[in-house]
Amino acid sequence: MLKSITHSLTFEPSDNPPVKVDGRCWIWIGPRRAQATAEEERRLTEKRRWGNLSYDLQGVKGASVATDLNLQIFENDYMPQAVSPEALAANERSRPEQLQALRLSTQDGLPSVTAILTLGKDPQYWFPGAYVQFVRYNGIEVTDAIVDHREISGVLPEQLLELDRVLKTNISQALDTSGDLHKENPDYPLVALRELVRNAVIHRNYENSNTPVRIHWFTDNIQIVSPGSVYGAVTQENFGQPGITAYRNPTIAEAMKNLGFMQRFGIGIATANRALEDNNNPPVEFDVQENFVTATVKKQR
């Protein structure tokens, strides 16, 4: 006999509305559950508790939407990925309303931190430490000879794409001839390094640190150092444990998900460890300090 199972769900109000799923904003008022109209979404936007918002949603004083954002990229690239096709086709909003609905500007018209880092013409002018320093050493110490050195800057989507290329270039591929089919055997799995590097860039401290994300590639391990320590419900003791998540930069994370750099929230470390295990690398090791977090990936065993 089949039993009917009823699940009880609890929905909490958000301080940061509107909340979107797959580019659609849903509302539930009384018995009505449907996709929000443009007017309903506008009202939700006005209800944001601006004083309590995360740093990445706050306005950048002195910056201007007209002069400091690449609005062509916003319209041609960002909007089609962040907004559902139905909403985009019926879009009757002005550009300021579009930017505010997508958390890219404040109520008084300033571009948000997320907007500058994602669509800014010169993000390093406003955030000098918002870049990645990559150094590869011919040894196991920072005093050893440098094989490669790069500073990867620009908006965050450009940084993440360039980091993909840098990681691919530096991974060594050995040819495994032990079986009937020869296959390449990398010393590090790209998936793991990509997840850890993206986590470091997206979740770092942008508020009061001019230190870049640093990648130190040694002959036997890779260290990824992210400015900023634990945040919210995450502590030094539970860091990296499954199900324990908190986002210092939720709007930056949302923007990167809209652009395809994240598939799901909260699974980056688990994905990295699974890829490391499949490639016979030890699990990632974390060193959580007061002002930074270091993720160490060791070479294949």
Side-chain angles (χ1 to χ4, degrees):
M1 183 177 73
L2 297 176
K3 295 183 179 180
S4 176
I5 300 176
T6 301
H7 295 281
S8 177
L9 301 177
T10 301
F11 295 89
E12 299 291 343
S14 171
D15 289 341
N16 192 18
V19 177
K20 294 178 180 288
V21 178
D22 294 331
R24 297 170 175 83
C25 177
W26 296 90
I27 58 173
W28 198 332
I29 301 176
R32 176 173 175 255
R33 191 191 116 202
Q35 188 171 341
T37 65
E39 176 62 20
E40 288 168 334
E41 191 171 336
R42 183 188 66 78
R43 292 176 183 175
L44 286 171
T45 300
E46 291 177 349
K47 290 182 179 180
R48 289 180 186 158
R49 295 166 58 182
W50 291 95
N52 298 330
L53 294 182
S54 58
Y55 177 72
D56 61 338
L57 191 49
Q58 296 179 24
V60 179
K61 293 182 180 180
S64 163
V65 166
T67 60
D68 294 301
L69 296 186
N70 191 324
L71 296 175
Q72 185 175 359
I73 291 179
F74 169 70
E75 293 180 357
N76 296 340
D77 298 333
Y78 192 87
M79 280 275 287
Q81 297 188 72
V83 181
S84 69
E86 303 93 331
L88 201 59
N91 191 4
E92 298 178 353
R93 299 172 182 160
S94 65
R95 181 179 290 161
E97 290 174 330
Q98 293 170 347
L99 288 165
Q100 193 172 342
L102 291 170
R103 315 175 203 275
L104 297 174
S105 71
T106 63
Q107 286 180 322
D108 53 2
L110 289 177
S112 68
V113 172
T114 296
I116 293 291
L117 291 170
T118 305
L119 300 166
K121 294 179 180 178
D122 186 4
Q124 281 69 47
Y125 174 81
W126 302 98
F127 302 97
Y131 68 97
V132 180
Q133 182 185 74
F134 174 89
V135 185
R136 180 160 187 168
Y137 300 92
N138 185 23
I140 59 174
E141 302 288 346
V142 294
T143 54
D144 290 326
I146 294 176
V147 177
D148 190 10
H149 175 266
R150 308 185 193 191
E151 291 187 354
I152 301 166
S153 58
V155 291
L156 297 188
E158 292 175 350
Q159 290 186 33
L160 297 183
L161 289 173
E162 179 61 21
L163 283 166
D164 279 358
R165 289 188 282 268
V166 171
L167 295 174
K168 289 178 183 177
T169 299
N170 282 273
I171 290 174
S172 297
Q173 299 278 0
L175 190 62
D176 183 358
T177 61
S178 59
D180 294 335
L181 297 176
H182 295 177
K183 63 178 181 179
E184 292 184 335
N185 189 21
D187 53 355
Y188 296 99
L190 176 61
V191 169
L193 298 185
R194 177 188 289 154
E195 290 288 342
L196 295 170
V197 167
R198 289 181 179 181
N199 274 357
V201 171
I202 293 169
H203 303 304
R204 61 154 293 171
N205 175 17
Y206 286 101
E207 183 172 4
N208 48 28
S209 175
N210 288 330
T211 304
V213 171
R214 290 168 290 162
I215 303 174
H216 294 167
W217 194 301
F218 300 103
T219 54
D220 62 350
N221 73 86
I222 301 168
Q223 295 178 5
I224 303 164
V225 186
S226 179
S229 190
V230 293
Y231 181 83
V234 180
T235 66
Q236 288 182 317
E237 291 73 24
N238 65 23
F239 188 94
Q241 294 181 13
I244 307 296
T245 58
Y247 296 103
R248 175 181 281 104
N249 304 311
T251 311
I252 292 176
E254 178 185 46
M256 294 304 102
K257 186 174 185 295
N258 287 339
L259 293 172
F261 292 103
M262 300 173 65
Q263 298 302 318
R264 290 167 52 194
F265 293 130
I267 64 168
I269 294 174
T271 300
N273 274 327
R274 186 181 306 114
L276 290 168
E277 181 181 7
D278 291 344
N279 199 60
N280 291 322
N281 295 79
V284 59
E285 298 177 1
F286 291 102
D287 178 20
V288 182
Q289 299 295 327
E290 183 178 355
N291 296 313
F292 63 87
V293 175
T294 301
T296 300
V297 182
K298 294 183 178 179
K299 204 169 186 177
Q300 186 184 54
R301 289 175 287 215

